Structures are given as C-alpha cells and as structure tokens.
Amino acid sequence: MGFKEEIERRRTFAIISHPDAGKTTLTEKLLLFGGAIHVAGAVKSNKIKKTATSDFMEIERQRGISVATSVMGFEYGGNKINILDTPGHQDFAEDTFRTLTAVDSVIVVVDAAKGVEPQTKRLMEVCRMRKTPVIVFINKVDREGKDPFDTLDEIEEQLKIKVRPLSWPVGMGQRLKGIYNIFNKTFYYFSAEDKTTAEEPKEFKNLNDPELDIALKTHAQQLRDDLELVEGVYPEFDINEYLNAETAPVFFGSALYNFGVKELLESFIHIAPYPRPSTADERMVDPFEDKFSGFVFKIHANMDPNHRDRIAFVKICSGIFKRNTNYQHIRLNRKLKFASPTAFMAEKKSIVEEAFPGDIVGLHDTGNFKIGDTLTEGELFSFKGLPSFSPEMFRYIENADPMKTKQLNKGVDQLMDEGVAQLFTLDMNGRKVIGCVGQLQFEVIEYRLLHEYGAKCRYENFKMHKACWIKSNNNEEWEDFKRRKYKSIAKDKHGRYVYLSETPYDLQMAQSKFKNLEFLFTSEF
Ligand code: G4P
C-alpha cells in the first residue's frame, strides 16, 4: 500500500463524555467490532471513582490502566483506527484537552436521560476552538430518556453546534423497538438478548414493508411520521459542514446492548476525516509531506521508583516515522534517535519499524521531552502548542524537607513538563504557586514528589480566583498595570506573564480600567 493510501485509511479520534455517559462501554464495543478484544469487560474504565480521592494506591492502579489504554489501535474494514483515551475524572480535564489536540475528530457520548452535562460542554469548547469535527452518540436508549427531538434541541443550544440525526430510535427504555439508520435507510430491530457479541440484529430495508407494521405495531407509523419530521426540520446531511465542524451528525443507540454501535462505526469510517494538516508557528504542515514531523501531546511517567523512565506520546503529523533514525528535537536543538518506539494495538504494545501520519508512537524518555515538543527530520519549525486553561484552584507549594530542595525542584519541574498541573512563580518574591483544575491533582503531586523524587512538599492556601495570560500592545499601560498589581503578577513555566486575580471583581475592574491589555483565559503555547 502506498504512502497516500496509508494516510487516507487512518482515523484518529477520541471519545469524550461526562463521566458515566458510557465512554468506556462504547470504546469497548468498538474494539469488539474491530476484533481487537474478544470479550466484553476487557477494557477497564480509567475513571477514578469519587470514593478514591485519598486512596493513592487506587490512583496508581488507575494510572497503570490508563497507560495501557492510552491509545487503542485496530483495523476495521480496511481502515486503521486509533482511539485516544481521555481520563474520565474531571480533575484531569487538562489531560483531555491536550489529547484533543492530537485527534482528527471526536465522538461525543451523551446520556439519553441526562442530556448535555457540564463536562461535555467544556470539552466541546475545546473542539470548537480547534474546529474538530464532531459526531454525537446519544447513548442508553434502552432506558427511559428524553424525547429525541428535545435532546437534539438541547445539543444544538448547549453545545453550540448544528445537528443532523443520521439514525433514529423507535421507542425508548422498555418500549425500545429498534433504530432506523437514516444513512443507509435500514431499520434494525432491537432484541435485548446479547450484550457481548458483535452479532447483526434483524433488519428491514423497506419502511413500507407490511412485516414492519406487524413487528412494530403502532410504532411503525410513528417512525414514518418522525422521519418525515426529521427530514422537514433538518437540512440534508452535508459532509463538508461536518468536516468544517459546523454540523454534528447524531446517532442513537445503546453501548451496553451493543445496539446502534455498528451503524455509528460504519458511518464514522465513511465520513470521519483522515489526518488533517497541522499548524506550526512557521507554516501549515501537510500529512502528505514526505518528511517526518510530529509532536508530544502526552507524557506518562512510570510510577515505579525503580524504573523512572517515562513514555512520551508522539502524534505523527507528516511523513513516515522510522525506528533508529535521527530526528531533530527542536527545543533542545539536538538529534535524537529511538531504538524502541512503541505502537499500540488494542491492549498490546509492540515495537514498530515505521508509523504513518495519524498514528501515535510511544517513545521511551529519560527526561528529554516536555509536552508540546516538536520532532522533525531537520526543518526548524514548532507545532503550535497545546492549550493551557486557567486553573481554578491555587496553592503555594513549599519545601517541607530542607535537605531535599534539589529533589523537590527537579520533581516539580518534571511533573510540570508532564503537564500534571501548572506552575506560576510570583514576580514579587519568587514564591511558587501550583494551579490545578481539581483537588485530586494536588494529592497526586504530593504523592508523586514523595514516592518518585523522595521530596516532601507542603501546601499553603492561596486564595485566588483566576489566572489569566496578559497580552499587551501598549507598553506604557502594561508597565502601569505591573506596578499597580505587582503582588498579583507571576510568570508561567514558559516565562509568560500571568495576572492572578483575587476575586471576580478585581478581574472585572482590571479589564475595564486597562483597555489596551488582553486578559486571556486560555493560552496556546
Ligand atoms: P464512562 O466511561 O463514560 O464514565 O461510562 P461507562 O462506560 O463506565 O458507563 C457508566 C455506566 O453506564 C456503567 O454502569 C455502564 O454499564 C452503564 N452504561 C453504559 N452504556 C449503557 C447503555 O447503553 N445502557 C445502559 N442501560 N447502561 C449503560 P455502572 O453500573 O456504573 O458500571 P458497571 O458496573 O455496569 O460497569
């Protein structure tokens, strides 16, 4: 197979959802179809359950699982599919944001009864920022849920994207009769028998088949009426609108009962984009270019103190990545080669000789990589960085063991390179502040500093509302701002200025007073 065909058959995507909507279950069913696993239950949820907030062994176990399922590759219908897993727990949302920079499209899972939930909204904002094509899967139709038309309205309104149903449920919960696939105009009859295999359900090709009336009784007419309404309300599906992230095709189903999942997968491989061009600071990089390039979107540390190596996950953006070949590490301005790059097929890892755009390779790392690093075949460019979001919780981090200052500094540095949290250094006195999205991150940092670096840290409260990056095109105003707010000015780990506002009111006042300064809540490094 040629280089071009290899790229065109790749589909690299993530499944995102609010916890419990069914992301893990859906992932598992997709893997079953791909023959990547053979029994249900093989994919463990990487959710960190609420009860485990202070159970570090549990966190460690979960992290172990999540490295195994970080990337799940499999072959399906001539396509190479790469599913990038995202942490279920919202305290690790930043991890998910970064993973979203490495995918070419996304499937959003929405619970039919609960509708759009907060975490889904936040993740969708990232997709919108990056214009990532989105397919919505409305899950759990085997349970009583909201009216499908209401759910679609809610998605349009809350996720701020036009929708276009491509399948339609007949009944819900106890009354679920099946699903009509609008894409290939076939009705699939639901029988709640087999949850585990990828067997074909009974199907009807013709909506006016009298057998359908016998099978569905009054639901048959209801289906015809609903479909008429669907066709009347929603414009015809336009693949370009989907690829431009303007319209989200919607599918209904039950991941648990493996129903509607195959339709989703079949349509997905048909319409979802193959690797798209990536933006570097200097230029756009096309996947079909013959020279290799890629970037690190995730670093996973080995929690075992005896094996301090880490895995850097690299998304291949162009050309062919080859084992034992020298590549340019742009930030370090050094050539590096990799003897054992790893590919991820289902739950197995294996050393690969080469990998194509859209693929993810895992590189063993002894401290060379930071999140966002670019590798190329020689050309000097850097992929546009990964977004950082204003954290919501802040604490001073202090050294609790003066004998271990070096270890603490090294640990904090490396954990920040991994993207575990964000570090801000106050301009005024050099004190270090850790910014997190959730409480769990603080606990993970404390635990890892102790167990991996032998360093003891102590947190002190730092009451803070938000951190925002400042952009200024008026030097005078910026200097004035720095003077007045000197207690609240810090630098992030890239040396960029950040304003730490104590209250929403302070922020509002600053925004209205300093009109020539831009207060940014996300930053793309
Ligand atoms: P997540 O990764 O998005 O957090 O969700 P996950 O797949 O773990 O699913 C959350 C719960 O919802 C699980 O139940 C799962 O079995 C259930 N579920 C997923 N899809 C469906 C569906 O289509 N229909 C129904 N009725 N339930 C579904 P649990 O009781 O929390 O866990 P478990 O003990 O079943 O694993």
Side-chain angles (χ1 to χ4, degrees), residues 17-26 45-47 49 88 109 111 137 139-143 253-258:
S17 73
H18 191 86
D20 274 347
K23 178 170 74 74
T24 311
T25 314
L26 178 64
S45 163
N46 70 2
K47 270 185 295 193
K49 298 249 156 60
V109 183
D111 185 316
F137 182 69
N139 189 29
K140 306 196 187 183
V141 294
D142 58 289
R143 287 202 196 154
S254 162
L256 186 63
Y257 287 95
N258 203 2

